[in-house]
Amino acid sequence: MVDTLLKVEHLNKAYGTKQVLHDINFSVTPGSVTVLLGPSGSGKSTLIRCLNGLEEFQSGQLSFEDQPIKPTPKTWQQLRQKIGMVFQSYDLFPNLTVIDNILLGPLKVQKRSKTEALKQATQLLKEVDLTDYADAFPRQLSGGQKQRIAIVRALALNPEFMLFDEVTASLDPEMVRGVLEVMLNLAKRKMTMLVVTHEMNFAQQIADNVLFLEDGAILEQTPGKQFFTQPQTDRAREFLDSMAF
Amino acid sequence: MAHSGINILFEGRNLTRLLGGLWISAKIAFIAIVLGILLGIILGMLRTLKNPLLRVILRLYLEFFRIVPTVVLLFLFYYILPQNFHINLNAEVVATLVFTLWVAAEMSDIVRSGLISVPRHQVDAGKAIGLTTPQLYRYVLLPQSIQLMIPATINLTTRVIKTTSLLLLISVMDVINVGQQIIEANNQHYQNGAFWIYGFIFILYFILCYPLSVWARYIERKEKLRNNG
């Protein structure tokens, strides 16, 4: 087993002349949960989208399982089978049923057998409590249900690393818990995860490490427990205070 | 009414000849529509890719076929190909070729605007599960935009069918051409032959085009309801 699953070195990104990520460095160990915190517009989403190639960046080196990533479309297409991602707006494919949403990757991208993929999909659906919805279309589901399906769709590829980009931000409050519980279960099973969230209680519970981002730079990298009780920077303390009632 | 004008339709082989002419027009329209739509889908997809050179070339192609009147296109291909390139094609083939290229150009624009109306997020979600670009089009983008493309495509089809009435200009024996010959040949007996022949041709075109136009409207209305729902 490798010591670092993902390593980010000197990552810089700009939109035109506006620099949005400044010299980002961090690494993620297998089985750990990293939570990315920071005020709106600090570059959290941009950063997480760089990690599976949805955003291009100007300079820097990413490595996955100690292998440097050559940022070509082909490499990313391969790697995305190992790096799953779930988005704020669920983004299920409205033209496909729930089960076809889930099976698209395993069958078409990974060319696995239908029987085997279906068996796994059914099991995953059971774990998120949505067995009865296999043949429903996304429009028939609530936000929370859609988001759980989106997580299953990503897990169906057997990823080694999962990216969660504010996955509860557009959910009704009563839907949030179900989705967070799915993520907590994943963490218990030692899935390596990187999570952008504004749910502070959840972050505190799940985080092994916290990256605190402001204006596109990492201000603080601290173990989860310490960050919430003794943040190292004033800026992080202010941020925590502003999030608490 | 010993000498009713409508009889011109039933003199000799007139009716069979007219329907034969219609068959030629319909055949050319049908082949051009099928080939043009297939080619247009491919061109439309290429126009959504990031390659700037490809985009410019395809854009010019579209504008050329859109701006130049169809008659001029027919003449260009009918007279210039044989003279300057020594390619001798018969009139029907030229007509099919011109119509195919025209349909492909218009279709590429319909496909392109349908594809870019699919939210960006869907592209991200597709990429995130490792779909390759062709797979992304095949399973995500095309299925989601086809509903939007259908009404415009049907309207294009009606336009193509109507425009086959220009084919007589490059001497294709289409229904209009046959009709004119019948009118001229029966000039003595049927002074108002033109009225009956063109009236009949009007009905033929109407029968071909009207159902398509109703179908397009039906789909458009259904789509509106679905979006409201």
Side-chain angles (χ1 to χ4, degrees), chain B residues 17-127:
Chain B
R17 286 188 61 211
L18 278 171
L19 291 176
L22 183 74
W23 166 245
I24 302 272
S25 310
K27 190 177 70 182
I28 291 173
F30 180 77
I31 296 174
I33 287 163
V34 172
L35 295 179
I37 284 179
L38 290 176
L39 185 61
I41 291 175
I42 296 168
L43 296 181
M45 294 198 302
L46 292 176
R47 287 185 59 204
T48 60
L49 297 179
K50 278 185 194 145
N51 188 327
L53 181 67
L54 200 62
R55 277 188 173 189
V56 171
I57 292 172
L58 291 174
R59 187 69 211 260
L60 286 175
Y61 168 69
L62 167 72
E63 294 299 343
F64 177 77
F65 276 90
R66 183 176 276 173
I67 292 167
V68 179
T70 318
V71 190
V72 179
L73 287 174
L74 286 170
F75 284 151
L76 271 177
F77 280 73
Y78 191 59
Y79 293 111
I80 290 179
L81 278 185
Q83 254 175 31
N84 297 349
F85 299 95
H86 304 290
I87 305 170
N88 267 309
L89 299 173
N90 78 41
E92 279 184 38
V93 177
V94 170
T96 313
L97 179 68
V98 169
F99 276 50
T100 303
L101 293 175
W102 170 45
V103 173
E106 296 277 1
M107 191 66 198
S108 79
D109 216 34
I110 295 173
V111 171
R112 181 184 153 273
S113 50
L115 287 173
I116 58 176
S117 72
V118 177
R120 277 306 297 175
H121 286 167
Q122 289 287 315
V123 177
D124 286 344
K127 282 184 181 172

Side-chain angles (χ1 to χ4, degrees), chain A:
Chain A
M1 195 144 171
V2 289
D3 296 337
T4 47
L5 188 64
L6 176 84
K7 192 166 186 183
V8 179
E9 291 165 290
H10 305 296
L11 177 72
N12 282 288
K13 174 170 175 67
Y15 289 116
T17 53
K18 190 175 179 291
Q19 179 107 8
V20 288
L21 292 177
H22 297 269
D23 193 35
I24 303 286
N25 294 283
F26 69 92
S27 52
V28 172
T29 50
S32 71
V33 177
T34 308
V35 173
L36 200 50
L37 295 175
S40 303
S42 56
K44 305 184 296 290
S45 283
T46 310
L47 174 55
I48 201 173
R49 287 166 58 85
C50 284
L51 304 182
N52 72 344
L54 289 180
E55 294 280 348
E56 291 173 0
F57 45 89
Q58 276 71 31
S59 67
Q61 180 63 59
L62 304 186
S63 317
F64 192 75
E65 294 176 322
D66 295 334
Q67 298 293 313
I69 299 172
K70 204 162 124 251
T72 63
K74 183 78 195 146
T75 329
W76 281 123
Q77 189 265 325
Q78 297 285 327
L79 262 179
R80 287 184 190 123
Q81 298 169 46
K82 295 183 174 183
I83 307 178
M85 183 159 189
V86 186
F87 303 88
Q88 176 176 345
S89 45
Y90 341 122
D91 304 319
L92 296 178
F93 306 124
N95 53 311
L96 299 176
T97 59
V98 164
I99 195 74
D100 287 339
N101 263 277
I102 300 169
L103 291 178
L104 188 57
L107 296 185
K108 302 300 172 188
V109 178
Q110 297 182 324
K111 318 268 186 224
R112 283 153 55 189
S113 87
K114 173 109 195 223
T115 356
E116 177 267 328
L118 188 64
K119 198 172 147 211
Q120 185 203 15
T122 315
Q123 173 61 27
L124 287 168
L125 275 177
K126 200 170 137 200
E127 284 168 26
V128 299
D129 236 356
L130 289 170
T131 314
D132 296 342
Y133 292 87
D135 297 316
F137 279 92
R139 62 173 177 276
Q140 298 165 297
L141 270 54
S142 73
Q145 291 170 331
K146 280 185 214 172
Q147 197 57 295
R148 281 181 283 162
I149 298 296
I151 295 174
V152 167
R153 180 175 67 180
L155 291 175
L157 294 160
N158 297 317
E160 288 158 39
F161 186 32
M162 285 285 288
L163 306 171
F164 292 90
D165 187 7
E166 300 205 34
V167 294
T168 58
S170 30
L171 294 179
D172 290 336
E174 69 266 32
M175 303 288 179
V176 170
R177 173 175 286 273
V179 172
L180 295 184
E181 271 168 7
V182 171
M183 292 165 69
L184 277 173
N185 278 331
L186 280 177
K188 269 186 210 143
R189 280 190 250 161
K190 292 292 164 200
M191 170 63 81
T192 317
M193 295 158 57
L194 192 131
V195 183
V196 174
T197 184
H198 287 293
E199 302 284 338
M200 285 302 147
N201 289 330
F202 169 70
Q204 190 162 4
Q205 239 186 94
I206 202 172
D208 295 313
N209 292 296
V210 171
L211 298 179
F212 181 67
L213 209 64
E214 189 174 61
D215 293 332
I218 294 184
L219 285 194
E220 191 164 333
Q221 298 194 37
T222 327
K225 297 220 162 46
Q226 193 189 335
F227 181 83
F228 289 97
T229 49
Q230 298 164 293
Q232 292 163 345
T233 57
D234 291 342
R235 192 60 198 92
R237 190 171 303 119
E238 276 171 41
F239 174 75
L240 284 174
D241 287 345
S242 76
M243 298 300 283
F245 265 114

Side-chain angles (χ1 to χ4, degrees), chain B residues 132-146:
Chain B
T132 59
T133 307
Q135 288 173 333
L136 193 61
Y137 279 88
R138 162 78 181 76
Y139 298 109
V140 178
L141 296 179
L142 280 173
Q144 287 185 39
S145 49
I146 254 164

Side-chain angles (χ1 to χ4, degrees), chain B residues 147-180:
Chain B
Q147 278 290 335
L148 297 170
M149 299 174 192
I150 289 175
T153 309
I154 300 171
N155 287 332
L156 176 62
T157 306
T158 15
R159 273 167 63 208
V160 173
I161 294 174
K162 280 193 301 185
T163 314
T164 54
S165 55
L166 296 176
L167 294 180
L168 90 155
L169 295 171
I170 57 166
S171 353
V172 173
M173 277 314 242
D174 74 323
V175 66
I176 310 267
N177 210 343
V178 173
Q180 276 196 343

